[in-house]
Amino acid sequence: TKRGEVWADASNLAIGAMVRIGGQTAEDGSWLRKNDDPEHINSAELSALIEGVNMAIQWELTEIQLYTDSAPVYGWVNAMLKDEHRIRTKGMSKMLIRRRLE
């Protein structure tokens, strides 16, 4: 089992993610958001976490501990992992969030 951590965060300026293995940073990245980016901050937080998970997969991690400061993203991912199928969100991005979690 290859274990690691994914840390992710987002702001109105950028999203970022980091993969840590054995307490050391293996890879990190940040991506600027467009000034007129219509993506809601919660959706941007989810995008950052997905980028981090994708990096962890490239490092062939089989056990990943996820870190986010977003309560909605934590709830969405937790519900998906428990196969609860009750992703709670409102607004136009509801379908996008559900699709990204699948």
Side-chain angles (χ1 to χ4, degrees):
T1 302
K2 194 169 176 185
R3 297 181 178 145
E5 303 169 350
V6 168
W7 295 73
D9 201 8
S11 72
N12 62 336
L13 299 175
I15 66 170
M18 174 180 62
V19 175
R20 290 177 56 91
I21 301 171
Q24 300 293 318
T25 301
E27 183 176 355
D28 62 1
S30 59
W31 301 267
L32 292 174
R33 296 177 67 189
K34 294 180 181 179
N35 285 339
D36 58 349
D37 189 349
E39 186 176 32
H40 190 276
I41 187 64
N42 292 337
S43 183
E45 294 270 2
L46 179 60
S47 295
L49 193 64
I50 290 170
E51 290 290 346
V53 169
N54 287 336
M55 287 191 297
I57 290 169
Q58 294 297 313
W59 282 91
E60 300 178 353
L61 299 181
T62 55
E63 194 172 304
I64 307 167
Q65 192 164 10
L66 304 175
Y67 292 91
T68 179
D69 63 354
S70 171
V73 171
Y74 173 83
W76 299 336
V77 172
N78 199 32
M80 185 215 44
L81 292 174
K82 291 181 177 179
D83 204 24
E84 292 178 353
H85 298 291
R86 47 176 202 156
I87 307 303
R88 295 182 181 163
T89 185
K90 298 177 185 174
M92 295 174 53
S93 61
K94 185 175 186 174
M95 290 302 292
L96 175 64
I97 290 168
R98 286 178 183 246
R99 180 176 282 168
R100 296 201 69 193
L101 286 167
E102 290 177 349

